[in-house]
Amino acid sequence: MQWADAVPNLMIGLREGLEAGLVVSILLAALRKIRPDDGSVSTAPVWLGVLGAVTVAGSFAAILTFSTDVLSSRAQQIVGGTLSVLAVFLVTAMVFWMRRTAVGLSAHLRGEVERAAAIGAGALALTAFLAVGREGLETTLFLWTAVKASGATVAPLTGAALGLGIAILLCWLLYRRAVRLNLGVFFSRTAFVLIVIAAGVLSYGLGDLQDGGVLPGQSWVAFDLAGSVDPNSWWVSLISGVTELTPRMTVLQVAAWIGYLAVVVPLFVKAGRRPAEKPAEKPAEAAGRWERLAGRHTAIVAGALVLVPVAVAALVIAVLPSAAAGSAAAVSVTDQGCAPEWKSARPGTQSITVANKTANAGEIRLDDSSGAIVAEIETIGPATSATMSASLADGEYTFRCLMSGQPASASAPVQVSGGAKETVGTAVKPVTTGDLDGPNKKYLGYAGQQLAAVATAVGAVRADLAAGNADAAKKDWVTAQVAWERVGASYNSFGDAGTAVDGLPDGLPGGAADPRFTGLHRLEYGLWHGQGPASLVPVADKLSADLAALRGKLDTDDVAGDPTKLTVRVHEILEDAIRDHLSGMDDQGSAMAYAATDADVEVTRTVLAELAPLLNERSPGLVREATAQLDKLHEALAATGYRAPSAVPLAQRQAVNGAAGAVVETLSAAPTLLEVPPSH
């Protein structure tokens, strides 16, 4: 399915190539019209200007490629994300510019050619260079970001080359008047495709900036379909290739994609209804000064247009950090082996390119002799390349390839010598399920105690209802709900057993009246909506039975017996609180969002303390920072008096939201730090 990545880039190459080619065709036609007979004006200066524009674009591409190769992974994400966003702005501006000026473009360029031809060949070359150069730089930047977004496969470049080839052929035929093409309709129709592609590049770029730590919200996931869809399937490859959308996207990425289309498409349609504007004229005095200078020094202009870009690119690449010399290391993953090219390495910080030549996605690690991870690529798609930044000291290093659907494989170990005696970077030893068994058993013991407290409180509610005392039932229900929050269930981590205890009516055909709506929130709805106590006794009885069933399943893999769930729980408990409590989504009448969230703070402290030894080994300071942030969140919640959010001043609500967001952002690193590799 590599062709899925080729399709959007073919469209980019076709449209941008046709736009640049159209400019060249108009320049040549105008020059031919000026001196049709005596041939005193040669077309060579035009081609010289075009060559200079192509040289600038190629030099720009070389600088982008070589400069990012020597950066760390985080720096590459920041640079790539920034350039992606810049490319989107430039292409969007270009689309609107062509929409407004396509009608008058030919007349404008003919006027430029007539003036340049009157001055001399150098001025004519400069005119062609300026006219084509802008298109070349825009196209280079957009194609570079599109290739990076697709994972550095060959397909995007193949598609772009094919599109440029078709554009050159069409321009030649147009120049020869062999075909007629309604350029206004072509640019208008293809603009919509380009806008969709640009929306995907914008989304991808913002994701890079989030991964690089420039933008917040990396953990605020809008959806994650990685577990339910096959990334290697043809339809996923097609959607990802054409739109740059991925199975996992953050809230910011989705909002940016939707927002960009919602703003740009209507504006583009509206722009088409306005009278066509004439292209902005170049200031006559400045243009005349440069053109006269170029006209008198044709040889200097020729050299500058072609040689200067190459010289500048060579100089920039030459002065890049010395790591560039050793960053050419490249290994591959095939169906037959893992990094067979890994036979020697030098000490120090370097970049290593990994090419996945299999049909499966997977994880690539570089481990030292103790099994600690020195560098890794968490996910590399099929038939793609990616770069990892590794800091190597004296020692032995081995690549490990963990590809989906294949047994784990490893390269031959390579000995590094002549450098530091200790690893330059931070090597992280992989977490095993054995490492998590102890903390998880402690958590299960804690959760069992809390479930017992929930059961006792629900029994009190049942007694209150049987006695017809709704007010007492409300108070005991709050006790039961707070005790449930202290259990630490999050994001349906307890499965159907947890849903029976704490489910919501959302999605049920009958809503709150649906008989499948049970548990604590069903009691909440009945108590705060005036339903008779006697009618709620059966609800309390079922809740007691469901709690007993959950307690019996607590140590099973379906509920909490899988120790790897604990590493996610430390982050998701409060993320769940933000989603459900602070947003008001789970409120069925009690308005106890702040009390429930404070209970979530308490259980998060417990889970964090159980995982603290493992986290401190891998990220010193994270537990200390998260603990301080939990203290701040507790203080902000206590300041509300645990009143209904609607009764709390705005400043206090904002303090709670800000403190909750900060601690969730800090804890979002925990699941990655404590991830258990597939081989374990």
Side-chain angles (χ1 to χ4, degrees):
M1 287 301 296
Q2 294 188 45
W3 59 268
D5 290 322
V7 172
N9 292 281
L10 185 150
M11 182 59 65
I12 295 170
L14 175 60
R15 181 194 163 96
E16 299 301 297
L18 187 58
E19 187 173 332
L22 180 63
V23 170
V24 176
S25 298
I26 293 174
L27 293 175
L28 292 174
L31 191 59
R32 183 179 179 183
K33 187 175 181 181
I34 294 171
R35 300 289 174 85
D37 298 324
D38 59 14
S40 58
V41 179
S42 171
T43 60
V46 173
W47 292 114
L48 181 63
V50 172
L51 178 61
V54 172
T55 303
V56 168
S59 300
F60 183 46
I63 291 174
L64 288 176
T65 302
F66 284 97
S67 62
T68 55
D69 276 350
V70 300
L71 297 175
S72 65
S73 298
R74 179 175 180 271
Q76 288 184 33
Q77 290 168 336
I78 294 173
V79 172
T82 302
L83 291 177
S84 295
V85 174
L86 175 61
V88 170
F89 278 106
L90 289 177
V91 169
T92 304
M94 178 272 299
V95 167
F96 279 89
W97 178 81
M98 180 56 74
R99 179 79 156 175
R100 294 193 304 268
T101 62
V103 175
L105 180 62
S106 179
H108 171 71
L109 289 175
R110 286 194 180 98
E112 294 293 313
V113 169
E114 289 177 2
R115 180 166 56 186
I119 296 174
L124 191 58
L126 182 62
T127 299
F129 172 81
L130 294 175
V132 180
R134 182 182 67 98
E135 308 296 340
L137 289 175
E138 287 179 350
T139 304
T140 298
L141 181 56
F142 201 54
L143 285 177
W144 185 85
T145 55
V147 169
K148 185 177 182 298
S150 66
T153 68
V154 178
L157 294 177
T158 303
L162 183 59
L164 288 171
I166 296 174
I168 292 172
L169 176 61
L170 284 175
C171 287
W172 181 78
L173 292 174
L174 286 170
Y175 179 75
R176 303 286 298 181
R177 299 183 183 275
V179 298
R180 292 185 178 276
L181 181 65
N182 189 326
L183 294 174
V185 173
F186 173 83
F187 284 124
S188 296
R189 300 285 170 81
T190 56
F192 286 103
V193 179
L194 202 61
I195 288 171
V196 172
I197 296 172
V201 172
L202 175 63
S203 175
Y204 175 86
L206 293 178
D208 257 0
L209 292 175
Q210 287 182 308
D211 292 338
V214 175
L215 295 178
Q218 181 186 10
S219 62
W220 301 342
V221 179
F223 57 82
D224 188 352
L225 307 178
S228 55
V229 300
D230 180 7
N232 301 315
S233 61
W234 68 268
W235 63 275
V236 174
S237 299
L238 178 62
I239 294 174
S240 298
V242 174
T243 66
E244 305 298 351
L245 300 179
T246 60
R248 181 186 187 277
M249 297 184 69
T250 65
V251 173
L252 176 61
Q253 287 179 291
V254 173
W257 190 81
I258 295 175
Y260 177 85
L261 293 178
V263 172
V264 173
V265 171
L267 288 177
F268 182 79
V269 173
K270 185 177 180 180
R273 301 193 185 110
R274 300 175 188 158
E277 300 176 12
K278 293 183 179 180
E281 292 291 336
K282 211 167 38 172
E285 291 185 5
R289 188 183 312 118
W290 282 105
E291 287 173 345
R292 286 192 295 272
L293 180 62
R296 292 194 299 268
H297 302 283
T298 303
I300 295 177
V301 172
L305 295 184
V306 178
L307 300 179
V308 169
V310 176
V312 170
L315 178 62
V316 171
I317 295 171
V319 299
L320 289 174
S322 57
S327 65
V331 298
S332 64
V333 186
T334 67
D335 293 329
Q336 291 74 38
C338 174
E341 303 87 353
W342 183 243
K343 297 178 180 178
S344 64
R346 63 176 182 81
T349 301
Q350 56 209 274
S351 295
I352 304 172
T353 300
V354 180
N356 179 10
K357 297 182 179 180
T358 73
N360 302 304
E363 177 182 343
I364 311 298
R365 293 186 356 225
L366 181 61
D367 295 353
D368 64 16
S369 56
S370 69
I373 301 174
V374 176
E376 67 178 329
I377 300 172
E378 290 192 359
T379 303
I380 183 170
T384 64
S385 297
T387 301
M388 62 168 58
S389 179
S391 297
L392 307 182
D394 289 357
E396 191 176 84
Y397 299 91
T398 304
F399 271 98
R400 302 193 184 278
C401 303
L402 312 169
M403 313 306 292
S404 62
Q406 294 183 1
S409 58
S411 70
V414 167
Q415 185 71 34
V416 174
S417 59
K421 299 303 180 183
E422 297 181 359
T423 304
V424 180
T426 302
V428 179
K429 188 175 181 180
V431 177
T432 67
T433 52
D435 294 330
L436 297 172
D437 280 337
N440 194 54
K441 287 179 181 178
K442 292 181 180 179
Y443 165 73
L444 291 177
Y446 164 85
Q449 295 175 355
Q450 297 305 317
L451 283 173
V454 178
T456 300
V458 170
V461 173
R462 202 270 184 203
D464 296 333
L465 293 172
N469 191 340
D471 289 338
K474 287 182 178 180
K475 293 180 180 179
D476 287 330
W477 178 89
V478 170
T479 302
Q481 184 66 42
V482 168
W484 168 257
E485 294 299 331
R486 293 196 187 104
V487 173
S490 59
Y491 276 86
N492 201 32
S493 58
F494 285 2
D496 292 340
T499 301
V501 173
D502 196 48
L504 294 169
D506 302 338
L508 297 176
D514 196 293
R516 287 169 292 183
F517 178 33
T518 63
L520 286 164
H521 287 301
R522 175 64 183 89
L523 282 177
E524 177 189 11
Y525 182 86
L527 287 170
W528 272 269
H529 285 80
Q531 294 182 354
S535 68
L536 297 177
V537 170
V539 178
D541 289 336
K542 179 168 178 22
L543 176 56
S544 295
D546 289 335
L547 279 168
L550 174 58
R551 294 172 70 183
K553 298 179 180 178
L554 184 61
D555 59 353
T556 66
D557 287 349
D558 291 339
V559 179
D562 181 359
T564 61
K565 291 182 178 180
L566 191 66
T567 65
V568 179
R569 180 171 279 111
V570 70
H571 164 249
E572 286 191 344
I573 291 172
L574 282 176
E575 188 174 60
D576 192 67
I578 293 174
R579 183 194 65 177
D580 292 347
H581 305 336
L582 299 184
S583 70
M585 188 176 76
D586 66 349
D587 181 23
Q588 301 298 314
S590 65
M592 56 166 294
Y594 293 143
T597 301
D598 209 17
D600 291 327
V601 170
E602 185 175 335
V603 65
T604 298
R605 290 184 193 276
T606 299
V607 177
L608 183 62
E610 291 160 357
L611 294 174
L614 294 173
L615 287 171
N616 286 334
E617 289 179 6
R618 290 156 179 81
S619 180
L622 186 147
V623 174
R624 182 173 62 254
E625 180 182 4
T627 300
Q629 291 172 331
L630 287 170
D631 291 341
K632 185 176 181 180
L633 176 57
H634 169 70
E635 292 171 0
L637 290 165
T640 68
Y642 305 114
R643 293 172 291 169
S646 59
V648 174
L650 176 61
Q652 290 185 342
R653 297 200 304 270
Q654 290 176 333
V656 169
N657 293 338
V663 69
V664 166
E665 188 70 20
T666 298
L667 291 175
S668 66
T672 300
L673 291 169
L674 303 181
E675 180 183 15
V676 177
S679 60
H680 293 277

